[in-house]
Amino acid sequence: MGADFLDVSPEEMAKAMAELTAAPAVTVLGIGNVILQDEGFGVRALELLRETYDFPPEVQLIDGGTLGAELLSFITGTERLLVLDSINGGEAAGTLFRFENEAVMAHFQDKLSVHEVGIQDVLATLEVTGRPIPSVVVLGAQPYAVGAGVALTPAMAALLPEMERRALEELARWGIVPVKKVQRTSLCHTRVAEAGAADAAWNGMTADAPVGSAEDGPPASAAGRQASSPLARRITAQEMIARGGEG
């Protein structure tokens, strides 16, 4: 479908396409290997934020996993990048780290893990091509264990609330204030209560009815499933691979 058919100029079409493909102003990127215990800390921290908050449309949440150069198409053009990571900084297990701008590249020069090599190369590429991200912050923690396993160690998992707090603090500095979602447990309790009331009403109506006169079952509960409408872009590593294959 061309610009002539839509009755718009080529310049307007180009501008519209640029807006559609532009990266949001703020990117929260979780990186790490989730099958190596605490190596997946950055991804787990991202998941916590995604499950707990709704973000404005100018924010995208990316599960980067262990991807490297593939991230270029997703973060090129973003103005602020917050990276969540498991960081081997040579300190005691559980130590929390924060790097910003120049200190980020200084840290990643050590190439301490495969996924850190990837993000270092992405940032370096953007710098060389004249498209650097103006503001980059890395938050992370020293892992306790990096053996085979999909779960964080209990001690590392206990750091997630503090990482959540620090991530929100960084976003607030950038003028981003996510909205906390309604707790799922509260919604479940409401559904259970309403379903119980419906069952009780049905039992009251059919208590004296002869066998076989009742309907097949109680009426559906009035509690409808609430549709989730996240505002932030959420991109998984699998989606990145699929999109990379389209080109």
Side-chain angles (χ1 to χ4, degrees), residues 21 23-24 53 61 86 111 122 140 160 182 188 196 208 225 238:
T21 57
Y53 300 93
L61 306 178
S86 171
K111 296 193 173 184
V122 167
L160 286 173
V182 176
C188 290
D208 298 325
R225 183 185 180 92
Q238 291 80 5

Side-chain angles (χ1 to χ4, degrees), residues 143-227:
Y144 287 85
V146 291
V150 297
L152 297 176
T153 60
M156 198 72 168
L159 296 176
L160 286 173
E162 176 61 16
M163 185 59 56
E164 173 191 355
R165 187 192 69 78
R166 293 188 177 209
L168 294 176
E169 188 176 77
E170 295 294 340
L171 291 171
R173 290 176 54 231
W174 296 339
I176 302 297
V177 182
V179 177
K180 196 163 189 176
K181 296 179 179 179
V182 176
Q183 293 297 317
R184 293 180 179 179
T185 51
S186 299
L187 294 177
C188 290
H189 292 159
T190 300
R191 293 194 191 103
V192 170
E194 292 183 349
D199 290 342
W202 174 258
N203 291 334
M205 288 189 296
T206 60
D208 298 325
V211 175
S213 65
E215 296 293 331
D216 291 337
S221 168
R225 183 185 180 92
Q226 296 195 4

